[in-house]
Amino acid sequence: MKNKTFLLLFLCAIQCTAFSQNDSFDAFARQQDSLMMKAYYDKNPPAYQQAMQEFITRYKALPADSQKQYLNGYVVAFYNLACTYSLLGQKKEALANLQTSIEAGYSDYAHLLEDTDLDPIRKEKEFTSIVQPLRETGDYLYILKKAGAYNREEKQVLPVFTYQTADNPNLVTLRKAFNLDSIAGKASELSRILNLCHWIHNLVPHDGNHGNPVVKNALSMIEECKRDARGLNCRGLATVLNECYLSMGIKSRFVTCLPKDSLGTDPDCHVINMVYSTQLKKWIWIDPTFDAYVMNEQGELLGIEEVRERLINDKPLLLNPEANWNRKVTQTKANYLYNYMAKNLYMLECPVRSEYDTETSGEGKNIEYIRLVPLDYFRKSLEKGVSTNNVTKTSLTTYRTNNPAVFWQ
């Protein structure tokens, strides 16, 4: 029963109150969650099924949009019933409910592998056949390992990445406004790079539940965060840190790290920085959200490309021990690298121009990106994508490549 919790259903109901006015269903969901939890601990499948059926009947009567919001509760209800039957040795019923849960959308492959409730059915042939499809969408390291191949011979002409110089007036103002020379310190270049990351991490909290401000530059976003006592999501933090590096004459890009998401059900991604160290003559991995950087077994700092390759090839990786979320939750190598980032290192994307105000919308503005796509990806087309926001009149152009040399130029 490792990390078993019925509060997944309860939390789903709580989370949905921000988006739904159906307060009566929220209360009902909590009530049924409590009844199912009791039945699970009592090993009482009839009581569990009764509570679950009542939940399902009300759930299916909800509008389609509300059903999407409560889908996690629906999925977990079947999963935990499977656990209940498994603990009682009722293998047929356990396998049937596990299959229903997976078909409905259960995707936590890592938890399924370590959940001791399922040990009584783990060696059954049906278990392997039921779980195998989930591996293709839920085993993130397995998925990443299948995405190691690129086409290094691809020759399509793409834009060259550029970096705004530190004498840009906006960057000069940023550097002076926050006394970044003092924050960075006078030690080695690597020390200055890490000091700036620590500063941003401690200055602005991470808030992944809300969008970033409309004006997306470091001066404006830091001011708005102070004024409104708010935070930024990972993209906002990486944007702010990116401009701080540019203002110090350090080449940097913010990188959107994307999952494969073949089912179209995972909107999550993560944004970090790749920073060029002239001291090391290479790009290095810097993550302001988690105040994280990554090293090899000799303690040498690694870049995103190197970390990805080491994950794929089972080579040692070290996470700095100070890595944390909002100074509240320590990050572990297993969770941060082998689960979360293994999922989000499938594809990578950067703006072509690394500069102040990169993603602030403006009429007539065109923001260009280059996306590095592995050959394993199910969408094979490398045709560039072009779109225009009807409200802001900002155009977005995304170039796609299978050649890593283009991306890491």
Side-chain angles (χ1 to χ4, degrees):
M1 192 184 75
K2 190 168 184 178
N3 296 326
K4 176 66 63 180
T5 175
F6 278 72
L7 288 178
L8 286 171
L9 175 56
F10 174 74
L11 290 175
C12 177
I14 289 292
Q15 188 176 31
C16 289
T17 58
F19 306 96
S20 171
Q21 299 302 314
N22 198 340
D23 293 338
S24 63
F25 188 82
D26 290 334
F28 170 74
R30 295 189 194 96
Q31 172 187 302
Q32 299 310 110
D33 176 67
S34 178
L35 292 173
M36 284 185 277
M37 180 170 62
K38 183 178 186 305
Y40 163 82
Y41 284 114
D42 290 345
K43 295 184 175 60
N44 187 346
Y48 189 109
Q49 285 185 311
Q50 180 178 344
M52 185 177 76
Q53 190 56 53
E54 291 170 357
F55 170 79
I56 291 172
T57 300
R58 288 275 298 272
Y59 167 81
K60 290 188 173 180
L62 292 171
D65 288 346
S66 295
Q67 285 191 24
K68 289 180 181 179
Q69 293 171 0
Y70 288 92
L71 177 61
N72 187 59
Y74 177 81
V75 167
V76 171
F78 282 103
Y79 177 86
N80 286 332
L81 180 56
C83 292
T84 305
Y85 276 122
S86 176
L87 290 170
L88 291 171
Q90 297 177 240
K91 297 180 180 181
K92 181 179 178 180
E93 293 81 359
L95 290 164
N97 280 281
L98 180 61
Q99 182 165 2
T100 300
S101 177
I102 291 173
E103 289 175 349
Y106 185 86
S107 61
D108 194 346
Y109 183 79
H111 176 74
L112 186 149
L113 288 186
E114 65 182 15
D115 192 342
T116 56
D117 286 355
L118 299 178
D119 286 351
I121 61 171
R122 204 172 294 282
K123 294 183 180 180
E124 300 296 314
K125 291 182 179 180
E126 293 89 340
F127 182 87
T128 301
S129 62
I130 289 170
V131 169
Q132 182 59 35
L134 182 59
R135 189 178 192 195
E136 299 294 331
T137 57
D139 186 345
Y140 302 129
L141 193 54
Y142 170 77
I143 294 168
L144 183 63
K145 287 182 176 182
K146 292 173 67 177
Y150 291 111
N151 178 11
R152 299 178 185 273
E153 303 303 317
E154 181 199 300
K155 300 297 184 183
Q156 64 173 319
V157 178
L158 298 173
V160 175
F161 289 107
T162 62
Y163 308 87
Q164 199 164 51
T165 57
D167 59 1
N168 173 271
N170 290 314
L171 294 178
V172 170
T173 300
L174 172 64
R175 185 171 180 168
K176 291 180 178 178
F178 294 105
N179 197 12
L180 295 184
D181 290 281
S182 176
I183 290 168
K186 296 181 179 180
S188 69
E189 178 196 55
L190 283 177
S191 176
R192 287 184 284 130
I193 289 172
L194 295 177
N195 285 343
L196 287 168
C197 178
H198 299 327
W199 176 67
I200 290 298
H201 175 79
N202 292 321
L203 179 68
V204 182
H206 172 255
D207 178 2
N209 294 321
H210 299 91
N212 292 318
V214 173
V215 179
K216 297 175 175 59
N217 63 60
L219 282 167
S220 179
M221 287 199 285
I222 292 175
E223 175 59 30
E224 188 164 332
C225 287
K226 286 183 176 180
R227 184 186 68 233
D228 299 339
R230 57 161 293 172
L232 298 171
N233 64 28
C234 60
R235 193 175 200 86
L237 291 170
T239 298
V240 170
L241 183 57
N242 189 66
E243 294 182 3
C244 290
Y245 285 136
L246 293 175
S247 77
M248 298 292 291
I250 299 170
K251 289 183 179 179
S252 169
R253 303 184 220 158
F254 58 86
V255 184
T256 305
C257 306
L258 297 151
K260 184 176 184 179
D261 191 23
S262 57
L263 299 178
T265 57
D266 184 3
D268 174 70
C269 65
H270 190 50
V271 185
I272 64 177
N273 296 87
M274 55 184 282
V275 185
Y276 192 78
S277 166
T278 58
Q279 183 178 336
L280 298 178
K281 296 182 173 58
K282 62 183 286 188
W283 295 103
I284 59 174
W285 169 306
I286 297 291
D287 184 349
T289 297
F290 295 105
D291 202 12
Y293 53 91
V294 187
M295 300 161 284
N296 63 16
E297 60 270 41
Q298 281 79 44
E300 298 166 336
L301 271 69
L302 300 174
I304 299 172
E305 182 181 28
E306 293 174 300
V307 173
R308 189 179 189 276
E309 289 177 350
R310 281 179 166 261
L311 284 169
I312 289 172
N313 295 310
D314 294 319
K315 292 184 178 180
L317 290 167
L318 299 175
L319 180 66
N320 63 304
E322 304 85 9
N324 71 92
W325 178 78
N326 282 351
R327 304 185 301 282
K328 296 177 181 177
V329 181
T330 298
Q331 292 301 296
T332 65
K333 179 176 71 173
N335 184 59
Y336 177 71
L337 288 175
Y338 292 92
N339 186 37
Y340 185 60
M341 291 311 301
K343 175 178 81 76
N344 287 324
L345 286 173
Y346 186 87
M347 289 185 295
L348 303 163
E349 181 179 278
C350 286
V352 171
R353 295 179 296 278
S354 183
E355 59 189 12
Y356 188 85
D357 235 9
T358 297
E359 291 190 323
T360 299
S361 297
E363 185 170 354
K365 184 175 183 178
N366 181 36
I367 308 174
E368 295 180 301
Y369 301 87
I370 295 180
R371 177 176 291 193
L372 178 60
V373 183
L375 291 175
D376 173 71
Y377 194 47
F378 57 94
R379 293 175 182 157
K380 303 299 182 185
S381 174
L382 294 181
E383 183 178 353
K384 70 179 181 182
V386 181
S387 64
T388 300
N389 186 297
N390 292 329
V391 177
T392 66
K393 308 301 180 184
T394 303
S395 298
L396 304 177
T397 301
T398 301
Y399 299 90
R400 298 177 178 87
T401 180
N402 296 137
N403 189 345
V406 173
F407 195 81
W408 304 115
Q409 62 182 266

